Amino acid sequence: MMEKEPRVSLTALISAYGRAYHAMYDSPKIFDDFLARQWFTDEAFSELGAHLAQSLPHFAPEKVADCQDQASALRWVMQSHNAISLSRSKHAEDSLELAVRQGARQYVILGAGLDTFAFRRPDMLEQIHVFEVDHPATQAFKRRRLAELDWEQPPQLHFVPVDFTAEKLADALCRTAFDPQLRSFFSWLGVTYYLDRETVFDTLRSFADIAATGSWIVFDYLDLNAFDTKRASVRVKRMQEAVSRVGEPMKTGFDPATLAKELAHIGLRLEENLPPTDIEERYFQGRTDGYRAFEHIHFARAVVDC
């Protein structure tokens, strides 16, 4: 699969694999994406699992002696590095449910990847329309896989192919059934790290311009210490090295102390700004396995203020 689809985001595939692995093997669930396994054929799932298990010597050479077989190596990699995807997805969908209770009627998933929300939560589709925004190559792969699975696309689901580096979000949404007069909820997960700072703020500004007052956006980001070799945690430095090797380097971080002021300049009010300590307490407290909040990763929720 990966050889046939070289342009599909590898990070999107790995994120989907991590959600599938967690749904299949871990308990209690942080985020239960029970449909994620369906994106992969048996061969592709085994292939990617083997590839991830083989990454153990890079992520934790000190653990190699304790993980002699593929299953134990894969489990360590998943529990150590899957926490970002699971906790940010849980945070986004919890925030979405709150926003819907407060009047949101559209859900825009920026960089949707292999998200399953529109198929996993039919109960929510009675209240909202879903707009999946992503790179054309990743979206084309997803739509072909949907056809192979024979999943019927609900009428409330809209695909919006867009390259964030070449087109503004507002322009892309204007081509669709998106209604700028309705209060909306946007999620932007696992993307800001890979874009330059200007593109991140252009996208946030575009959101503020097109979304109705009172609309929300949730996104995750790295703090600046993640890019300081003297302050970055070993786990984050190894993660950065890994994604750079596959051609998707992390580029941008933000200062949590000044983020509210920076967002205010583009018409957004920072409503929530969770540091790793709060993420640990909310989503990982009491776990006895290897899942824990990732150092330097923050979750932000902002609202259109004017």
Side-chain angles (χ1 to χ4, degrees):
M1 179 187 66
M2 287 181 289
E3 292 179 356
K4 294 179 181 178
E5 300 289 349
R7 294 190 303 160
V8 176
S9 169
L10 181 59
T11 53
L13 291 169
I14 292 173
S15 180
Y17 183 96
R19 296 194 307 273
Y21 183 97
H22 183 63
M24 294 167 65
Y25 299 115
D26 294 320
S27 183
K29 302 288 187 285
I30 299 166
F31 178 75
D32 189 6
D33 190 347
F34 55 86
L35 292 178
R37 172 64 178 84
Q38 300 303 310
W39 295 126
F40 303 91
T41 63
D42 291 344
E43 179 183 1
F45 193 74
S46 296
E47 177 188 344
L48 187 51
H51 173 77
L52 291 169
Q54 291 167 6
S55 70
L56 179 63
H58 169 76
F59 285 122
E62 68 279 5
K63 296 290 184 180
V64 172
D66 298 328
C67 302
Q68 294 291 324
D69 57 85
Q70 179 176 305
S72 58
L74 178 60
R75 185 163 189 81
W76 191 94
V77 172
M78 286 291 95
Q79 292 187 344
S80 178
H81 287 78
N82 200 21
I84 302 175
S85 176
L86 297 172
S87 55
R88 71 189 177 203
S89 294
K90 174 64 173 172
H91 178 255
E93 292 196 13
D94 285 351
S95 296
L96 170 65
E97 292 188 8
L98 175 63
V100 169
R101 291 196 295 270
Q102 296 180 7
R105 292 299 173 260
Q106 298 176 127
Y107 178 24
V108 182
I109 310 174
L110 306 178
L114 300 179
D115 190 274
T116 63
F117 176 84
F119 302 94
R120 184 171 32 82
R121 295 295 306 271
D123 57 310
M124 294 289 287
L125 297 189
E126 298 175 1
Q127 303 173 75
I128 57 174
H129 276 248
V130 180
F131 298 82
E132 291 197 8
V133 182
D134 210 339
H135 191 278
T138 298
Q139 204 158 81
F141 165 78
K142 182 173 186 176
R143 298 188 74 167
R144 284 195 294 272
R145 185 62 183 150
L146 287 174
E148 292 169 0
L149 292 168
D150 198 27
W151 285 4
E152 182 178 353
Q153 181 178 328
Q156 299 93 336
L157 174 60
H158 312 269
F159 289 105
V160 188
V162 61
D163 181 349
F164 284 122
T165 64
E167 183 179 18
K168 291 187 181 298
L169 172 62
D171 294 338
L173 286 175
C174 282
R175 303 194 309 263
T176 73
F178 179 83
D179 186 346
Q181 302 303 314
L182 295 178
R183 190 175 292 186
S184 303
F185 181 89
F186 287 61
S187 68
W188 198 23
L189 307 179
V191 178
T192 64
Y193 329 132
Y194 302 100
L195 302 177
D196 60 64
R197 184 181 180 87
E198 182 179 357
T199 302
V200 171
F201 276 99
D202 281 349
T203 300
L204 291 171
R205 188 178 295 107
S206 195
F207 155 71
D209 289 343
I210 194 174
T213 299
S215 294
W216 299 262
I217 187 167
V218 165
F219 61 95
D220 56 333
Y221 69 93
L222 283 166
D223 61 40
L224 296 178
N225 287 339
F227 296 91
D228 184 332
T229 56
K230 295 181 179 179
R231 296 183 177 182
S233 71
V234 172
R235 185 163 57 153
V236 166
K237 285 192 285 189
R238 289 174 176 172
M239 179 177 66
Q240 289 177 310
E241 292 167 0
V243 295
S244 291
R245 287 203 307 271
V246 299
E248 298 183 17
M250 292 181 170
K251 302 176 180 179
T252 299
F254 299 96
D255 182 351
T258 62
L259 183 62
K261 184 176 181 179
E262 292 176 299
L263 292 177
H265 286 310
I266 56 176
L268 299 178
R269 174 170 49 83
L270 186 60
E271 195 171 69
E272 186 176 51
N273 193 15
L274 296 180
T277 50
D278 287 359
I279 295 170
E280 175 73 25
E281 182 178 354
R282 185 175 298 188
Y283 299 113
F284 300 97
Q285 191 172 44
R287 296 194 71 91
T288 57
D289 51 23
Y291 286 103
R292 58 188 176 87
F294 232 84
E295 305 85 7
H296 309 300
I297 297 284
H298 300 247
F299 297 163
R301 184 173 69 231
V303 62
V304 179
D305 209 21
C306 57

